[in-house]
């Protein structure tokens, strides 16, 4: 056993001393050992959480030109266009949108939200005010949007940090169902 240890040490010394002389070893075993010893790249963590329908989904936030996708590798996907959550796809739905919201901005600045279910059937139409800047009770800044579906009124929310980056959302996604909440963890 001592002989093998000495041989291993000698081989390591040879490799280290040879590397300064522009000598390189090329073999599949050497490449394998080199790759095994290479540090693993850092794995991005799911630092956002979506709460909807009494379930919690840890997700990644992916910025794109048109807004933010909140997604995980299981197939959960929420699309946010920068002001409104516009769609939701759940795992196992084969990329079929469970909810689709069509937003139309009127000439007077009010916003019409048309809600459709997974079959494309209209399930409601709400009218909302334009987004208004606000400071919440916990001193976070953001925007609030007052909406109504006839007699029932509710508030959609976007919260931001000091750099004006989105840190939380709370918006109605399906009429008559509790709002979806998306927040940094």
């Amino acid at each position: 056993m001592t002989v093998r240890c000495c041989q291993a040490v000698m081989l390591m010394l040879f490799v280290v001393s040879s590397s300064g002389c522009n000598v390189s070893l090329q073999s599949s075993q050497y490449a394998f050992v080199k790759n095994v010893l290479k540090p693993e790249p850092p794995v991005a963590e799911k630092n956002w959480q979506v709460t909807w329908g009494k379930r919690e989904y840890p997700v990644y936030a992916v910025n794109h030109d048109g807004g933010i996708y909140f997604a995980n590798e299981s197939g959960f996907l929420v699309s946010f266009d920068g002001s409104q959550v516009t769609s939701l796809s759940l795992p196992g739905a084969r990329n079929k949108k469970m909810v689709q919201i069509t937003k139309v901005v009127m000439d007077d600045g009010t916003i019409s939200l048309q809600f459709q279910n997974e079959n494309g059937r209209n399930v409601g139409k709400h009218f909302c005010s334009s987004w208004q800047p606000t400071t919440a009770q916990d001193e976070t800044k953001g925007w609030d949007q007052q909406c109504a579906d006839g007699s029932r009124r509710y508030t959609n929310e976007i919260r931001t940090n000091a750099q004006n980056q989105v840190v939380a959302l709370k918006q109605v996604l399906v009429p008559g169902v509790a709002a979806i909440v998306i927040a940094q963890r």
Side-chain angles (χ1 to χ4, degrees):
M1 178 135 155
T2 323
V3 173
R4 285 187 180 226
C5 265
C6 286
Q7 288 175 339
V9 169
M10 293 299 283
L11 178 62
M12 301 255 305
L13 286 173
F14 172 74
V15 169
V16 170
S17 64
S18 297
S19 63
C21 302
N22 287 334
V23 174
S24 65
L25 297 174
Q26 296 298 322
S27 75
S28 58
Q29 292 89 355
Y30 177 68
F32 172 75
V33 171
K34 203 164 78 171
N35 285 333
V36 167
L37 298 176
K38 209 180 335 178
E40 291 288 323
V43 177
E45 68 179 75
K46 297 175 192 156
N47 58 348
W48 286 78
Q49 180 166 303
V50 176
T51 305
W52 191 66
K54 298 181 182 179
R55 296 216 35 213
E56 294 179 348
Y57 303 89
V59 295
Y60 304 101
V62 181
N63 294 317
H64 62 91
D65 286 342
I68 305 170
Y69 292 127
F70 298 96
N72 66 23
E73 57 278 324
S74 300
F76 182 88
L77 176 66
V78 173
S79 295
F80 174 69
D81 71 3
S83 64
Q84 214 76 49
V85 172
T86 58
S87 68
L88 167 71
S89 297
L90 294 174
R94 299 179 193 206
N95 296 329
K96 189 173 187 181
K97 292 179 181 170
M98 300 300 293
V99 176
Q100 179 74 37
I101 300 173
T102 304
K103 174 178 75 173
V104 177
V105 179
M106 309 295 191
D107 290 337
D108 64 356
T110 60
I111 299 167
S112 166
L113 300 176
Q114 181 73 46
F115 298 87
Q116 296 176 326
N117 66 12
E118 68 270 12
N119 299 321
R121 189 173 66 91
N122 291 333
V123 293
K125 186 173 189 174
H126 296 184
F127 292 95
C128 304
S129 66
S130 60
W131 289 93
Q132 300 298 315
T134 188
T135 301
Q137 292 176 346
D138 62 359
E139 298 301 316
T140 58
K141 296 201 180 293
W143 293 272
D144 282 355
Q145 178 187 53
Q146 303 302 317
C147 298
D149 67 348
S151 61
R152 187 172 155 258
R153 303 183 72 72
Y154 62 91
T155 303
N156 286 330
E157 302 172 3
I158 300 173
R159 296 294 173 256
T160 59
N161 61 16
Q163 291 78 34
N164 209 28
Q165 298 166 327
V166 173
V167 296
L169 304 167
K170 181 179 177 186
Q171 297 186 4
V172 168
L173 197 56
V174 175
V177 175
I180 191 168
V181 176
I182 305 170
Q184 282 185 326
R185 295 169 34 151

